[in-house]
């Protein structure tokens, strides 16, 4: 089993390091060695449902709370003798926690997006406990969703992260829906991914239209500037050989100039 092999390698590596050399956030848990009775995966999932439903307020800081949450859950009934987990569940929690640490520590992702990602910790943990392919398959819908949101967070700065930004609004809608309604079906991740991709496509089309219009406007301004210069030069050349009152000259080089510029633009030189 890839998960068992990976976590065993990590535990072996950690055991060779001096105490205090590993950040506490990355230290591996040993829930499977707790002294109390073993909590089954079904019981763990049931408890996570209750915690997820109780989370009505979004986090204020993008932190990884999985290990702290699970530790508190296992110690809830008997603090002096906390319940244990199966080794595979213990390993899964460690790896999912590392997955979120990796993303939430990325300085390239905006804080606003990290907050949205952190809201998905319980649904993603539940998904991984139900379907271990979350950790082994890059095409797992939950992983694809998190990676897509994280990618959006690289190009979206915190100043743009508001209800006025189409992509951020879609991400917020998706995380709220998943956190409130995830029951173990990964289709909710696919639906969320489709919503975010649609928002990204619309934003890309909007940017393309704005870019095209900006380019057209710049070309139009350049064309108008050229036409004005050509017409002004012709007028000055014509008027230099004629003796007309200054009022007429002023009219020709101002009001009439604009008429000639429009004619030039329509018909050419």
């Amino acid at each position: 089993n890839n998960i068992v092999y990976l976590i065993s390698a990590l535990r072996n590596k950690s055991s060779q390091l001096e105490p205090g050399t590993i950040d506490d956030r990355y230290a591996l848990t040993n829930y499977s060695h707790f002294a109390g009775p073993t909590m089954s995966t079904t019981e763990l999932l049931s408890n996570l449902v209750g915690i997820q439903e109780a989370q009505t307020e979004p986090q204020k800081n993008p932190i990884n709370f999985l290990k702290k949450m699970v530790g508190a859950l296992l110690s809830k009934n008997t603090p002096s003798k906390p319940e244990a987990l199966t080794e595979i569940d213990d390993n899964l929690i460690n790896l999912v926690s590392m997955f979120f640490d990796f993303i939430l520590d990325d300085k390239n992702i905006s804080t606003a997006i990290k907050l949205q990602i952190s809201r998905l910790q319980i649904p993603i943990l539940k998904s991984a406990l139900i379907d271990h392919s979350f950790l082994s398959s890059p095409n797992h819908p939950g992983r694809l969703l998190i990676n897509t949101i994280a990618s959006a967070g690289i190009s979206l700065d915190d100043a743009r992260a508001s209800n006025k930004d189409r992509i951020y609004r879609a991400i917020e809608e998706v995380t709220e829906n998943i956190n409130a309604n995830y029951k173990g079906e990964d289709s909710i991740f696919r639906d969320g991914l489709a919503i975010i991709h649609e928002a990204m496509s619309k934003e890309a089309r909007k940017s393309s239209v704005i870019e095209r219009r900006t380019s057209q406007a710049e070309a139009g301004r350049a064309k108008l500037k050229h036409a004005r210069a050509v017409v002004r030069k012709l007028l000055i050349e014509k008027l230099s050989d004629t003796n007309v009152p200054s009022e007429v000259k002023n009219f020709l080089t101002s009001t009439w100039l604009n008429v000639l510029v429009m004619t030039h633009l329509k018909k050419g030189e």
Side-chain angles (χ1 to χ4, degrees), residues 143-267:
R143 276 180 67 173
L144 288 173
L145 177 66
I146 295 286
N147 290 338
T148 298
I149 295 174
S151 296
I154 294 173
S155 59
L156 180 72
D157 58 42
D158 289 319
R160 282 179 53 208
S162 69
N163 289 333
K164 294 180 181 178
D165 186 89
R166 187 197 304 271
I167 296 175
Y168 180 78
R169 195 165 61 241
I171 291 171
E172 188 175 44
E173 174 191 332
V174 167
T175 59
E176 283 180 1
N177 180 54
I178 292 173
N179 207 46
N181 299 307
Y182 178 69
K183 307 298 182 187
E185 297 292 332
D186 286 344
S187 58
I188 198 169
F189 297 132
R190 295 189 190 91
D191 294 341
L193 195 59
I195 290 170
I196 294 172
H197 278 159
E198 182 182 7
M200 287 177 162
S201 295
K202 287 181 178 178
E203 194 64 26
R205 288 197 296 271
K206 178 183 173 184
S207 298
S208 177
V209 169
I210 291 173
E211 185 178 339
R212 187 169 65 251
R213 287 177 179 173
T214 301
S215 178
Q216 290 172 343
E218 289 175 352
R221 283 192 292 270
K223 192 174 181 181
L224 177 61
K225 184 178 180 181
H226 174 70
R228 188 176 293 277
V230 169
V231 171
R232 182 182 293 278
K233 181 174 179 292
L234 288 172
L235 269 177
I236 290 173
E237 288 176 355
K238 293 286 185 184
L239 292 173
S240 63
D241 296 329
T242 59
N243 186 18
V244 296
S246 59
E247 293 81 0
V248 175
K249 282 188 177 181
N250 290 336
F251 171 78
L252 291 173
T253 56
S254 56
T255 306
W256 188 245
L257 173 70
N258 293 329
V259 175
L260 294 177
V261 167
M262 291 301 105
T263 302
H264 176 84
L265 287 172
K266 289 179 181 179
K267 299 184 177 182

Side-chain angles (χ1 to χ4, degrees), residues 23-94:
D23 189 317
D24 287 341
R25 293 177 303 162
Y26 307 119
L28 297 173
T29 63
N30 283 294
Y31 299 134
S32 58
H33 295 135
F34 280 7
T38 300
M39 181 184 291
S40 69
T41 303
T42 302
E43 290 177 291
L44 176 58
L45 285 167
S46 178
N47 281 305
L48 290 176
V49 169
I51 296 173
Q52 182 181 332
E53 290 175 347
Q55 282 196 326
T56 54
E57 293 296 324
Q59 288 179 247
K60 292 183 172 58
N61 296 304
I63 58 172
N64 182 342
F65 58 79
L66 287 178
K67 291 177 183 176
K68 184 177 180 180
M69 176 195 69
V70 173
L73 174 63
L74 297 175
S75 304
K76 183 179 178 181
N77 296 325
T78 51
S80 61
K81 195 177 182 181
E83 294 178 77
L85 293 177
T86 64
E87 186 176 357
I88 188 66
D89 286 351
D90 190 4
N91 291 341
L92 281 165
I93 290 166
N94 274 292

